[in-house]
Amino acid sequence: MGSGLWREDTFRQYSTRVGRVVDKSGRVAGDYSNQEMFAARNLDPILNPKDVMRECCDTEEHPNTIPVILALDVTGSMGQAAVEVAKELNVIMTELYRKVKDVEFMIMGIGDFVYDKCPLQVSQFESDIRIAEQLDKVYFEFGGGGNGYESYTAAWYFGLNHIKLDAWDRGRKGIIITMGDEGINPYLPAEAIERVTGREMAEDVETKALYEQVKEKYEIFHIFVKHANFAIYKRYIDSWDDYLDKDHFKVVKIDNIADEIVKIITKQAGSKFLKRGQVEVPKVAAGIAW
């Protein structure tokens, strides 16, 4: 997957078809609630993560793919942040393609593997209007629980076990950007992984062990969305300290999310961190067994 190029005129045509207006800046105009922007009321088959393998393949059109997994928290408190991403998607892609020609996006929806019915959704890797089409299919379950975290590491787990990147064959890492407003989850329950992905599990997946595997294949970022009552979130922020430094953990306001996504990807596209360094990068995705 991943053929095609992002074009603003195509995005404008698509937006008109779905009843939206794009302003002169390229941004979707107007105020939208989460329910208005994301109309899905159940898991779309195209985003179902069960028994699937996603690929980001080099092609003649995109010979040096830069795979980006953008994982959105689809629980109750994060609805407007996802709306902001959808409204700014054309601005994000247009700006990226001015600087980086071979970016491929996978959109994920992340919930809570303990409480939610549909805690993981995964698109294909794409580089054209299909990014917008698949983003619009994301189902907001508005779930989550009272445990102080969502299952952000599901993006890490899926990236290791259900994705193949041609970038790995060139000695380059992919990029995972999770986005949310809670703490990092300490584990992924085996039963839920089996139910959601179809992969048989011998035990729960502990976050510390998972991190040691995933950091060899991906540069990992988290965008922590800053709300008005930010002071109460300190313990959530502190939970990420064992995993991500200040260069990989970003605290932003909702209206700065798009800028931060562009900054992360453009910086990493030319960064030494994407190149094979002291850590050997395996050529296949099946590097972890639980």
Side-chain angles (χ1 to χ4, degrees), residues 10-264:
T10 305
F11 179 78
R12 289 180 178 275
Q13 292 166 10
Y14 171 75
S15 298
T16 299
R17 277 202 317 273
V18 297
R20 300 172 192 157
V21 175
V22 179
D23 64 21
K24 291 182 179 180
S25 72
R27 185 177 189 271
V28 173
D31 294 325
Y32 289 86
S33 70
N34 177 269
Q35 292 89 342
E36 290 170 329
M37 183 67 77
F38 297 97
R41 294 298 176 260
N42 48 53
L43 175 63
D44 193 289
I46 200 173
L47 302 179
N48 192 336
K50 191 166 187 176
D51 299 323
V52 300
M53 194 76 179
R54 301 297 196 216
E55 295 182 321
C56 184
C57 301
D58 294 342
T59 63
E60 186 174 332
E61 188 176 28
H62 296 294
N64 298 291
T65 51
I66 299 173
V68 179
I69 298 171
L70 181 61
L72 309 177
D73 183 334
V74 295
T75 60
S77 62
M78 284 296 296
Q80 286 308 118
V83 169
E84 187 67 18
V85 171
K87 292 174 70 172
E88 295 277 1
L89 182 62
N90 176 57
V91 176
I92 292 170
M93 292 303 299
T94 300
E95 182 64 19
L96 282 175
Y97 265 78
R98 287 195 186 109
K99 304 173 182 178
V100 185
K101 300 302 182 186
D102 293 329
V103 176
E104 307 282 345
F105 265 100
M106 165 186 272
I107 302 295
M108 282 190 182
I110 300 287
D112 191 311
F113 266 58
V114 175
Y115 292 99
D116 293 351
K117 180 181 177 182
C118 302
L120 180 63
Q121 301 167 67
V122 297
S123 77
Q124 304 284 355
F125 281 98
E126 302 292 0
S127 57
D128 59 11
I129 193 61
R130 286 170 290 187
I131 301 171
E133 293 171 346
Q134 293 181 118
L135 177 58
D136 280 348
K137 294 180 185 297
V138 169
Y139 164 48
F140 267 76
E141 188 172 352
F142 290 105
N147 48 18
Y149 55 81
E150 309 302 351
S151 298
Y152 300 117
T153 64
W156 304 359
Y157 179 81
F158 193 90
L160 279 171
N161 294 287
H162 295 270
I163 289 176
K164 182 186 181 301
L165 306 181
D166 280 358
W168 289 334
D169 296 337
R170 291 183 279 103
R172 287 183 171 263
K173 297 182 181 181
I175 301 171
I176 296 176
I177 305 172
T178 53
M179 190 178 82
D181 62 356
E182 294 208 28
I184 190 170
N185 50 303
Y187 73 104
L188 294 170
E191 177 279 327
I193 294 175
E194 290 185 351
R195 172 175 55 85
V196 172
T197 70
R199 185 184 180 96
E200 292 187 5
M201 303 296 297
E203 58 187 359
D204 297 340
V205 177
E206 302 295 332
T207 294
K208 287 184 181 298
L210 178 60
Y211 177 71
E212 292 303 315
Q213 294 283 336
V214 74
K215 71 179 182 180
E216 296 185 6
K217 293 185 177 181
Y218 293 92
E219 283 297 317
I220 308 164
F221 296 85
H222 185 72
I223 296 176
F224 190 94
V225 180
K226 181 178 179 180
H227 297 293
N229 53 348
F230 182 63
I232 70 171
Y233 289 93
K234 185 179 185 303
R235 65 186 178 93
Y236 298 156
I237 293 173
D238 291 346
S239 73
W240 291 86
D241 287 347
D242 290 339
Y243 304 99
L244 303 182
D245 60 25
K246 65 180 181 179
D247 292 327
H248 292 79
F249 184 86
K250 309 290 185 177
V251 179
V252 303
K253 295 180 180 178
I254 284 180
D255 54 2
N256 292 329
I257 291 172
D259 288 342
E260 196 60 54
I261 292 171
V262 171
K263 287 178 185 177
I264 288 171

